[in-house]
Amino acid sequence: MAKTKTNSGSKKRFALTGTGKIKRKHAYHSHILTKKSNKRKRNLDHFTVLDQANVKQVKDLLCLR
């Protein structure tokens, strides 16, 4: 049986932390930034941990299970 391939888009968008959690970037920080406040843009700039509801789906895309 062939090896499962990692989804190329997912490996660019997600990263693992040292404890095995999955990091992701915030949405809405790529365009139309003039109408957004500096505080809002600054808070969107940081990474956050992936919600528990989506962990199984992303782990399947990254072939971590």
Side-chain angles (χ1 to χ4, degrees):
M1 192 164 116
K3 291 183 179 180
T4 308
K5 289 189 176 180
T6 301
N7 184 279
S8 297
S10 297
K11 68 183 174 186
K12 296 170 192 171
R13 287 173 172 84
F14 301 104
L16 281 178
T17 64
T19 57
K21 295 177 184 174
I22 300 174
K23 294 189 302 185
R24 68 169 179 86
K25 295 271 293 205
H26 285 280
Y28 308 112
H29 190 63
S30 59
H31 66 294
I32 313 177
L33 298 174
T34 53
K35 64 175 76 172
K36 295 172 186 154
S37 68
N38 287 333
K39 179 179 178 181
R40 183 173 167 193
K41 289 186 281 192
R42 185 170 61 245
N43 288 334
L44 289 173
D45 197 34
H46 304 297
F47 279 90
T48 186
V49 177
L50 191 68
D51 192 66
Q52 195 60 40
N54 301 316
V55 168
K56 181 180 179 290
Q57 182 181 13
V58 173
K59 281 190 174 182
D60 287 343
L61 291 171
L62 295 175
C63 299
L64 295 175
R65 296 171 3 104

